[in-house]
Amino acid sequence: MIDPKPSPLAAHPSAFATAVAATVLATSAVLAGGTAAGAQTTDTSCYVTGGGSLEICRGTEAEGVFVAPRACESVSGVQILRTTPGTGPLQAVYQAETPLAGPSRRGAETCAPRRAGDPLDGGSVRAGAMPEQLATTMPPVQGRLWEVTRAAERPREARGRRGRRREAAPPPETTAEGIAARHPITVAGRDWGGDAYSYVFFLAAMPTENGNRHALLQARTLDFTRFDIRGGAEAGTTWTPLGKTDPEPRGRRRRGRTEAEPDPGVVLDETGAPVVGHCQGQGFDRTDLVGSISVVDQVYHYFYTDVLPSDCNEPVATRRMGLYLRTSRDLTADRPWSAARTIAQPLPNKSLVRVAKARDMDRWVVAYRCNRPANTMDGPVSDICVQYTADLAPGSLAGLTWFSEPQAIMRSTAYLGLRSGGDGSGRFGRSQHFWMTDRYGNLATPTSYRAKAGLVTWLDRLAPGQAGTGASSVFGRPVYWGTWSVRAVIGR
């Protein structure tokens, strides 16, 4: 539940230094008018958005390496969060691998490569603070949330006659099955009403009669170090501490001392129904209930994707998605979220959408997974599309032209033209993107990029070939960052 070990980058300074150096080199190259090493030349044309009043131009933005994890580590869905007004401190919150059980080798520079072979693997939330000027480099982080049920107990060391020690059975390779925390979304509480907490919503697999469904869970924190888990919805909301960040020194623990056992409760909506995905499913790329939370006029807007209910009986690979919205005025209420409202449909299978209020504008910004219009010999080239709405009416998102026909191919002309990562072959997916926000989940940028409209992070995932063959992994894959700019269309 709470990882006492420091971040891999903190424990292995050379990895941290490598990530920093790569960031500096990539950024310098881009700002100088070049591209990062191995980057592709992109179209520098602009596309119109915001109801025809704005345009975004490709090819001249700053990009760099955010983190380069080891082969046994994964990083995705990185949200950079400014926790106070003005400048810093910042928090990076993201999804990581399930921690391995047993002692770790502190100071080790390498680790055995891991593959995502267990549906629970890749399920933990990590967080770390960083100063404002390092907003484009991953800070030292620690594990905060993962399985919150009791882990398998390690056998006690048995003693034979005359006090001789007998070898105990080896510890399990991974923690026991529990709630794998995925796809975290972080937002401040009602600080205008005296709530000092920040809240982290995350997803877990909930068993049902027809298979597992994604369910929405909630945690709270004052310092991003100690967390409480929400539970006990039937008897009113209760918050159970997850325990200490640092364990007591060996030999000084009190006998009989036990940590509180959290009993997570699925977050409810105003009708008393649990907030769960429409359909059962398996796999690592599910995006049901994945999204973002943005506060506008003291109302929380939770935008997320889910499978259309009518497609639940269709093959998993062909299920269409919809964009949904739930709202709340108080995240601590027993039933905080409204019933779901459909915003846009249909969207292609595995669509991943983030929505937030734009910087200094009364508009929504939407960033979503897409492919560039032209394919390579090996298939589509993945990118991230960004569009603005004409106003803050949630329904204005439905008026966007999300994809070209046929939608299932996910082609769009509204792509950013990202250069970092990938090799142009189509086998590297720019996926699990998130962005930098203020404490209310609305777009923000580092002070060194004040003129930019936003900063996005993404995972450079190696994907299977067209025939489904070849290596595929989220472990050891780098996460990049990039900016974009938007300007008014004048005289057109």
Side-chain angles (χ1 to χ4, degrees):
M1 286 174 275
I2 297 296
D3 186 359
K5 298 181 289 297
S7 158
L9 293 182
H12 310 291
S14 64
F16 183 71
T18 299
V20 174
T23 302
V24 173
L25 289 173
T27 305
S28 299
V30 173
L31 294 178
T35 59
Q40 310 300 312
T41 302
T42 59
D43 184 3
T44 58
S45 63
C46 304
Y47 63 90
V48 177
T49 184
S53 61
L54 302 173
E55 65 179 1
I56 296 175
C57 297
R58 310 183 184 96
T60 60
E61 297 295 325
E63 299 181 3
V65 178
F66 193 69
V67 60
R70 298 180 300 167
C72 60
E73 300 161 348
S74 66
V75 177
S76 62
V78 181
Q79 179 185 5
I80 305 173
L81 180 76
R82 178 178 284 125
T83 56
T84 58
T87 61
L90 304 180
Q91 285 283 338
V93 183
Y94 67 93
Q95 177 181 323
E97 75 283 353
T98 301
L100 292 173
S104 63
R105 294 177 57 197
R106 289 183 178 270
E109 298 296 333
T110 60
C111 54
R114 285 175 76 174
R115 294 292 304 276
D118 185 325
L120 286 177
D121 206 353
S124 72
V125 175
R126 294 181 182 268
M130 57 184 163
E132 176 80 14
Q133 64 267 29
L134 294 181
T136 52
T137 302
M138 177 69 83
V141 294
Q142 289 185 322
R144 302 303 184 191
L145 304 169
W146 63 86
E147 279 79 288
V148 292
T149 55
R150 184 179 293 108
E153 294 184 1
R154 295 181 61 183
R156 292 186 178 181
E157 193 176 61
R159 290 182 178 270
R161 294 181 179 179
R162 298 181 182 178
R164 293 179 181 175
R165 296 181 178 179
R166 294 182 302 190
E167 291 186 4
E173 291 186 357
T174 60
T175 50
E177 287 195 7
I179 294 176
R182 297 174 177 271
H183 305 290
I185 309 170
T186 305
V187 67
R190 298 174 65 252
D191 54 8
W192 58 88
D195 186 357
Y197 283 95
S198 293
Y199 294 89
V200 179
F201 289 89
F202 59 96
L203 303 182
M206 183 182 78
T208 67
E209 293 181 358
N210 299 319
N212 291 335
R213 295 191 186 189
H214 268 171
L216 187 68
L217 275 66
Q218 184 179 5
R220 70 179 186 182
T221 181
L222 292 172
D223 55 10
F224 289 90
T225 299
R226 302 171 188 272
F227 285 78
D228 304 328
I229 285 286
R230 178 180 184 140
E234 294 79 5
T237 302
T238 60
W239 297 93
T240 304
L242 282 178
K244 291 189 174 183
T245 302
D246 299 315
E248 295 180 8
R250 185 175 298 179
R252 294 180 59 184
R253 294 180 183 172
R254 292 173 292 175
R255 289 193 176 185
R257 180 181 181 274
T258 58
E259 296 288 353
E261 184 74 15
D263 183 19
V266 179
V267 179
L268 304 181
D269 68 16
E270 61 189 6
T271 69
V275 180
V276 298
H278 289 149
C279 313
Q280 71 279 5
Q282 301 290 339
F284 303 98
D285 293 324
R286 295 172 57 191
T287 57
D288 38 319
L289 300 187
V290 181
S292 53
I293 299 175
S294 183
V295 184
V296 177
D297 295 331
Q298 299 183 1
V299 175
Y300 294 84
H301 297 75
Y302 171 31
F303 291 96
Y304 63 92
T305 53
D306 201 354
V307 178
L308 298 180
S310 59
D311 284 16
C312 284
N313 293 325
E314 299 295 324
V316 173
T318 61
R319 292 176 178 176
R320 297 169 300 168
M321 312 288 290
L323 178 65
Y324 296 88
L325 169 64
R326 295 177 185 265
T327 59
S328 174
R329 288 192 175 274
D330 185 1
L331 300 182
T332 65
D334 289 345
R335 300 178 179 184
W337 291 110
S338 69
R341 169 186 171 186
T342 304
I343 298 299
Q345 64 168 332
L347 298 177
N349 182 262
K350 296 183 179 179
S351 291
L352 176 60
V353 179
R354 310 283 191 186
V355 181
K357 183 180 179 297
R359 281 193 67 205
D360 305 321
M361 291 185 284
D362 288 333
R363 303 173 185 264
W364 296 114
V365 181
V366 54
Y368 57 99
R369 179 186 296 169
C370 68
N371 294 319
R372 297 176 188 174
N375 284 359
T376 67
M377 293 181 60
D378 292 321
V381 177
S382 177
D383 212 307
I384 297 172
C385 284
V386 171
Q387 294 197 58
Y388 285 69
T389 62
D391 52 42
L392 277 174
S396 62
L397 291 162
L400 298 176
T401 301
W402 295 74
F403 300 99
S404 305
E405 295 294 340
Q407 289 199 53
I409 303 178
M410 302 181 77
R411 290 196 182 109
S412 174
T413 58
Y415 65 95
L416 291 178
L418 300 172
R419 302 176 302 281
S420 298
D423 62 356
S425 70
R427 284 206 59 210
F428 289 80
R430 293 178 171 95
S431 60
Q432 298 299 332
H433 61 275
F434 217 141
W435 45 29
M436 182 171 173
T437 72
D438 62 18
R439 63 191 187 281
Y440 301 124
N442 300 318
L443 286 190
T445 57
T447 53
S448 54
Y449 294 103
R450 289 183 186 276
K452 301 301 181 181
L455 182 146
V456 64
T457 64
W458 70 91
L459 168 67
D460 186 44
R461 179 177 181 178
L462 179 64
Q466 276 187 308
T469 59
S472 173
S473 181
V474 296
F475 288 95
R477 299 301 309 165
V479 168
Y480 292 91
W481 63 271
T483 62
W484 78 87
S485 301
V486 66
R487 64 188 181 188
V489 176
I490 300 176
R492 296 186 183 182

